Amino acid sequence: MNKLTCESCGSVDVVKSDDFFVCQSCGKEYTKEDAQRLINVKVNVSSDSISLDKRISNYLELARNALKNNNYQEANTYAHKILDFEDKNPDAWYIKALVAGYNNPLTGNYDITECINSFQNSYMFSPAETQKSLQEKINGELTKIIPFYMTNISHIFDVCGIEHLSDHISVLCKFANDFNETCMPWYERQDDNEKHKIINLMALSLSTAIGKAWNSKIFPALPQNDHISLGEKKMNLCLLYAESIIEVYKMAITMGADDRDNNILRYKSIIDICHKMIVALTYGLNKNTFQWHPGYTKNKKLIKELLTKISEYNLKIKELDPTYVIPGNKYYLRGTPFAKSRIGCIVLLLLIIVIAAVAFFLTKVPTTDLSPG
């Protein structure tokens, strides 16, 4: 019995499905008339008559069409078919990079290493005369892929429960670390402008994403003014998350070392987080709800540590911007029960001093003897 041979990819794995014959390798469909024609044409010709170059060309066309239609898994399948024939095909590696770059975040896989390594393979296996233009093309794709990754990660912060936030912050940190390990060698051999451009973009995307976690999940959950929503356990959890977010901001600062303006904003974001933590720490727990406790000093030591950190970060800003005016510690304490308790203590101390002074004065005033005789 003569087998049908797909004229697109050369596969003989063509099966009947309803009124059509479908190639199981590339998905091309044939009518009954097409099938009869193929049988007649292929009676005395083996499937090997389709050249390897033709098969690869057909698979490439199918992969590119799949990418245009956002069928990433299909595109990846065709790229692998090409690599089965030719493991150093630069076009197939480029397609695999795009799949990893745009499909992985959609499926919850935030491994950028596969994307960058595939791009590097595409570059390495390309003819020398095309490498410069390919490098520019890859750089252009990475400036879109990196924010795409970060946007997908930060979107999770909107929908996840606060108790699971740590896992997603870890994913964000892993993404940044993988970027440093994998992408930096790629940019080290390029000019400084291109290198700083992508690194600063990564730092900006990182700080934007972690800022989303703070603004959408942690800060709204902290006790503030009339907002009373957390038990002591979740309160402590939020404070731990806040410390993790500060570390991510510091990672972005290190990464974007030459990005002065954005680093100033990152330091200010860290200071704001410390300030909000101080405010939260001035709440006391009463019957499982947070309420103001004037004079509440349970977290006095931690508040002082945060004030010290704020001073350090303000000095960092001063180094970047000599015109910056550093606020005093009172600025970060004003309006809090902790500040009110200090004011109360000062007033009480002054009152004691005044009373003591009056008592001392009265003991020194000579008395006049008005008795007769």
Side-chain angles (χ1 to χ4, degrees):
M1 181 177 177
N2 294 324
K3 290 185 177 182
L4 295 177
T5 302
C6 178
E7 59 186 357
S8 289
C9 67
S11 172
V12 294
D13 189 10
V14 181
V15 300
K16 190 175 185 302
S17 176
D18 296 328
D19 293 330
F20 293 90
F21 292 83
V22 182
C23 175
Q24 301 303 293
S25 294
C26 69
K28 185 175 178 61
E29 294 182 346
Y30 297 95
T31 64
K32 292 180 180 179
E33 291 76 14
D34 290 332
Q36 186 61 48
R37 174 176 59 79
L38 289 176
I39 289 175
N40 291 335
V41 169
K42 301 296 181 180
V43 169
N44 296 315
V45 182
S46 71
S47 61
D48 293 336
S49 62
I50 297 181
S51 68
L52 180 60
D53 288 343
K54 177 64 175 175
R55 291 189 189 188
I56 290 175
S57 176
N58 287 338
Y59 281 137
L60 275 176
E61 183 180 357
L62 291 167
R64 287 165 179 158
N65 287 336
L67 280 177
K68 289 179 182 178
N69 295 314
N70 298 326
N71 295 326
Y72 298 108
Q73 192 55 51
E74 184 179 330
N76 196 50
T77 298
Y78 292 132
H80 275 286
K81 287 181 179 294
I82 296 170
L83 293 173
D84 286 340
F85 291 122
E86 191 178 278
D87 61 359
K88 295 183 179 181
N89 186 285
D91 296 314
W93 281 112
Y94 190 85
I95 290 168
K96 277 183 60 64
L98 294 180
V99 169
Y102 291 109
N103 184 54
N104 280 7
L106 295 177
T107 58
N109 176 14
Y110 296 98
D111 182 7
I112 195 170
T113 300
E114 180 184 356
C115 172
I116 296 173
N117 283 340
S118 295
F119 272 137
Q120 293 193 97
N121 283 339
S122 177
Y123 176 86
M124 182 171 58
F125 298 141
S126 293
E129 61 272 15
T130 66
Q131 286 184 336
K132 182 175 177 55
S133 61
L134 179 60
Q135 176 179 292
E136 294 173 355
K137 189 177 177 183
I138 291 172
N139 289 342
E141 287 294 344
L142 285 174
T143 59
K144 293 183 287 185
I145 287 171
I146 288 171
F148 179 73
Y149 262 85
M150 287 301 188
T151 299
N152 279 274
I153 295 175
S154 61
H155 174 68
I156 295 178
F157 295 140
D158 288 331
V159 298
C160 74
I162 194 166
E163 61 276 4
H164 300 299
L165 200 60
S166 179
D167 294 337
H168 302 300
I169 292 176
S170 297
V171 168
L172 195 67
C173 293
K174 181 181 183 304
F175 178 88
N177 288 327
D178 288 349
F179 171 86
N180 279 336
E181 292 178 8
T182 313
C183 204
M184 289 305 294
W186 165 253
Y187 282 100
E188 286 296 341
R189 57 174 175 258
Q190 300 183 37
D191 64 85
D192 286 342
N193 288 336
E194 197 63 42
K195 173 184 173 183
H196 291 150
K197 176 183 174 182
I198 195 70
I199 293 173
N200 289 341
L201 173 64
M202 180 63 195
L204 179 61
S205 299
L206 182 62
S207 53
T208 300
I210 203 62
K212 185 75 173 289
W214 169 257
N215 291 316
S216 67
K217 274 291 180 290
I218 301 174
F219 174 56
L222 289 174
Q224 49 190 300
N225 299 326
D226 296 328
H227 183 117
I228 301 170
S229 63
L230 291 182
E232 190 170 23
K233 184 177 180 180
K234 283 193 175 180
M235 164 72 165
N236 293 332
L237 190 61
C238 283
L239 294 175
L240 287 175
Y241 287 154
E243 293 176 2
S244 297
I245 286 176
I246 289 173
E247 292 304 312
V248 176
Y249 269 120
K250 289 164 70 174
M251 185 186 298
I253 289 169
T254 302
M255 189 177 294
D258 68 325
D259 192 355
R260 170 185 171 276
D261 292 341
N262 278 316
N263 274 348
I264 289 175
L265 293 176
R266 289 171 192 131
Y267 278 123
K268 288 183 176 179
S269 294
I270 292 174
I271 291 171
D272 182 63
I273 291 172
C274 291
H275 183 199
K276 297 296 194 305
M277 290 170 70
I278 288 173
V279 173
L281 287 167
T282 60
Y283 280 83
L285 188 64
N286 181 22
K287 295 180 180 179
N288 295 321
T289 60
F290 282 98
Q291 297 176 347
W292 287 111
H293 278 246
Y296 183 69
T297 56
K298 176 183 177 182
N299 296 308
K300 185 176 179 179
K301 181 180 178 181
L302 183 53
I303 289 173
K304 286 184 176 180
E305 290 175 358
L306 287 168
L307 288 171
T308 300
K309 289 182 179 180
I310 287 175
S311 297
E312 293 173 359
Y313 297 130
N314 272 319
L315 289 174
K316 294 289 187 182
I317 296 176
K318 188 74 173 177
E319 291 176 7
L320 296 173
D321 178 13
T323 65
Y324 177 67
V325 178
I326 299 177
N329 282 350
K330 291 181 180 179
Y331 173 83
Y332 301 103
L333 289 173
R334 64 187 183 186
T336 66
F338 185 74
K340 292 177 183 177
S341 69
R342 295 180 70 185
I343 293 172
C345 290
I346 292 171
V347 171
L348 181 60
L349 179 61
L350 289 175
L351 184 59
I352 292 172
I353 291 173
V354 169
I355 292 172
V358 170
F360 177 78
F361 176 76
L362 290 176
T363 59
K364 294 299 181 180
V365 173
T367 59
T368 302
D369 187 2
L370 301 178
S371 61

